[in-house]
Amino acid sequence: MTTPRRTQKVFLAKEQSEGVGARVRRSIGSAALRNFSPFLMLDHFSVSPGAGFPDHPHRGTIEEGDLQFMTAGRGIVHSEMPRPNNDGDPAIGMQLWVDLPEHLKLVEPRYRDLRAKETPTISTDGGKVTIKIISGQSHGTNSVRDLAYTPVWIFDVTIAPGGKVTQELPEGWNAFAYTLAGTTSFGVEDQTTVGQYHNVVFEQGGDSVAAEVSDEASQSGRFFLVAGLPLDQEVVQYGPFVTTTQEGIYQAMMDFQTNSNGFERAKGWRSEIGKSMAH
């Protein structure tokens, strides 16, 4: 028998401008929740044709429903420009920053792609609940691969009216849900009912999250449920750089400016997309 976690905090992710012409709803990394170890930032973005996030540093092409996990490590410069939809509608997606343990801050950069067809999808509660298992384990089914150096579980959950689910999570991990659509109630005895575009932060006590959608709801509830192992280290951030000390930030900025210690290949590089947006 599991012990459902209680809701600690709920807040609306307010929309703001980011990059070039992009709109994001930032919850983690905002004033409402600056850091939530190991999570540094969560953006729910909407990008119209021609907009996006041009070349920028950090310490592939994906299709609808795919996921790409990038480890910045020693340093990488890239652009994030969603492919325009054929019908001209904005591209919608999620971006989650996960901190690296201090001893892995300078690993070699890497990309790992998870295609939609590779993501296990299960149904529970008589078909009223659908769970895409991006990372972790749900109801006896494991994700295809581990995507991060920092242990994280990520689920895309849809609950039809009248459905309910209990998702087990590792004890002691930090966990949150981000509501994408509909209205969902979290908890068992002290339920918290939450609408669209909210971040729901759970207390650490307990080993599961319970959620349900009223049978009188007009639409399904959909949310991302994410849990991660907290890191016992400081977080010092300046723009795209994240280290554990102020000195580390100074060093990362110097390395980027001098194309050294991980940024050697960035010298003179500009993406083709970045070049087109400069005119």
Side-chain angles (χ1 to χ4, degrees), residues 30-54:
S30 69
L33 187 62
R34 183 58 59 191
N35 296 127
F36 187 48
S37 182
F39 309 112
L40 301 169
M41 188 183 77
L42 177 69
D43 278 357
H44 177 198
F45 63 80
S46 175
V47 180
S48 300
F53 311 94

Side-chain angles (χ1 to χ4, degrees), residues 33-89:
L33 187 62
R34 183 58 59 191
N35 296 127
F36 187 48
S37 182
F39 309 112
L40 301 169
M41 188 183 77
L42 177 69
D43 278 357
H44 177 198
F45 63 80
S46 175
V47 180
S48 300
F53 311 94
D55 308 355
H56 56 277
H58 282 289
R59 254 207 160 174
T61 299
I62 56 176
E63 305 294 340
E64 181 178 354
D66 293 347
L67 181 140
Q68 185 177 79
F69 211 102
M70 182 198 77
T71 300
R74 295 182 63 211
I76 194 169
V77 177
H78 72 161
S79 63
E80 299 157 289
M81 304 299 296
R83 178 179 292 174
N85 292 317
N86 293 331
D87 58 7
D89 285 345

Side-chain angles (χ1 to χ4, degrees), residues 68-233:
Q68 185 177 79
F69 211 102
M70 182 198 77
T71 300
R74 295 182 63 211
I76 194 169
V77 177
H78 72 161
S79 63
E80 299 157 289
M81 304 299 296
R83 178 179 292 174
N85 292 317
N86 293 331
D87 58 7
D89 285 345
I92 308 296
M94 304 291 294
Q95 180 176 206
L96 175 67
W97 285 21
V98 181
D99 202 6
L100 278 170
E102 185 173 16
H103 70 283
L104 294 175
K105 290 285 188 181
L106 296 180
V107 297
E108 287 298 315
R110 74 176 186 182
Y111 281 95
R112 301 187 73 177
D113 292 348
L114 180 68
R115 302 301 177 186
K117 62 183 180 181
E118 298 177 291
T119 306
T121 301
I122 64 170
S123 295
T124 66
D125 194 18
K128 293 182 179 179
V129 178
T130 302
I131 304 174
K132 294 181 181 180
I133 309 170
I134 296 170
S135 179
Q137 182 184 80
S138 180
H139 298 77
T141 300
N142 293 306
S143 60
V144 173
R145 66 186 78 176
D146 292 325
L147 297 173
Y149 288 106
T150 304
V152 291
W153 285 16
I154 306 173
F155 308 101
D156 182 351
V157 183
T158 301
I159 306 177
K164 61 178 60 178
V165 67
T166 296
Q167 172 61 51
E168 295 186 15
L169 299 175
E171 292 188 63
W173 284 21
N174 281 333
F176 69 89
Y178 180 80
T179 54
L180 288 164
T183 299
T184 304
S185 296
F186 296 94
V188 178
E189 296 179 355
D190 299 322
Q191 283 193 332
T192 302
T193 301
V194 185
Q196 191 177 32
Y197 305 143
H198 284 73
N199 192 302
V200 183
V201 181
F202 299 103
E203 295 181 355
Q204 273 195 349
D207 57 5
S208 66
V209 165
E212 63 180 84
V213 173
S214 170
D215 56 6
E216 298 179 356
S218 60
Q219 67 177 112
S220 297
R222 184 185 177 194
F223 59 91
F224 276 123
L225 178 61
V226 184
L229 177 68
L231 300 177
D232 184 18
Q233 62 189 39

